[in-house]
Structure formats: C-alpha cells, structure tokens
Amino acid sequence: MTLWAKRTDGNHSEIRDAMRKAGAEVEDLSGSGRGMPDTLVYTPDGRLLLVEIKMPKGTLTAPQVRFHARFPVHIVRSVEDALGIIKNAGADLPPPATPPTKESHPGG
C-alpha cells in the first residue's frame, strides 16, 4: 500500500477560512487520502457537504474520480465558489428533518 504525504492546494487555507467566516463548520479531511474530499462542511442552514478544494486549473486524481462517482462532492476553486455552495447548496432539497442540537453536533 502506498502512503501519500498530506498535501493541500495553495488556496486551501484561504477557502477553508472563508467558509468558516461565512458561518460553516469545516472539518479538514485533506490528510485522509484514498480520494476523500478535502473538507466536510456543515452549513449554517444545516446541510452537510463534501467539498474538494482545487486550484483554478487543478485536476482530480484517479482515486478522487472514483470517490466522486460514488458520493456527491462539490469542487471549489475559489472563495467565491465556496461561498456560493454554502449559500445555494441543496436549494432544491427539503430542509433536514430534525435540526441538530449542540449535544448531537459536537463541533457546534
């Protein structure tokens, strides 16, 4: 098994910090490997998103392509992209059935 060193794109911190400033809880998963997206994002309106952060011309790795084929992953390349998915993610989906509480959501 090949182990990969933790590597993030150059815009990773800026985008992560912007999502947090917008009120989202952001868990950094960038060291997970195996195609796992860079972040798990819990939006202020109660949506859970998988977010892959890429540089403007960055491409997905083969493991990322396989992961994205199985799960809905948002790819963001800028702060504007990230804020857009936080604002518009799941606009056509019903709200969560039961809003989480601080007790059921340890990060919040």
Side-chain angles (χ1 to χ4, degrees):
M1 178 171 88
T2 303
L3 297 177
W4 299 95
K6 181 177 179 177
R7 191 185 124 239
T8 58
D9 285 284
N11 56 355
H12 184 94
S13 296
E14 176 186 24
I15 291 173
R16 181 200 59 219
D17 294 347
M19 290 190 290
R20 287 178 175 159
K21 282 183 182 177
E25 299 261 350
V26 181
E27 185 66 32
D28 192 331
L29 304 175
S30 61
S32 300
R34 296 184 182 241
M36 180 72 72
D38 291 320
T39 58
L40 181 63
V41 179
Y42 187 70
T43 66
D45 67 345
R47 301 194 192 280
L48 191 61
L49 308 173
L50 297 171
V51 179
E52 178 65 36
I53 299 171
K54 288 288 182 194
M55 292 297 289
K57 294 183 180 182
T59 59
L60 297 174
T61 65
Q64 289 169 334
V65 169
R66 287 190 296 273
F67 189 96
H68 291 213
R70 296 173 44 225
F71 298 97
V73 179
H74 297 270
I75 300 172
V76 299
R77 298 175 184 281
S78 67
V79 168
E80 293 77 20
D81 287 351
L83 297 180
I85 65 158
I86 287 172
K87 180 179 178 185
N88 299 314
D92 57 345
L93 299 175
T98 306
T101 62
K102 285 198 180 272
E103 292 77 31
S104 67
H105 181 64

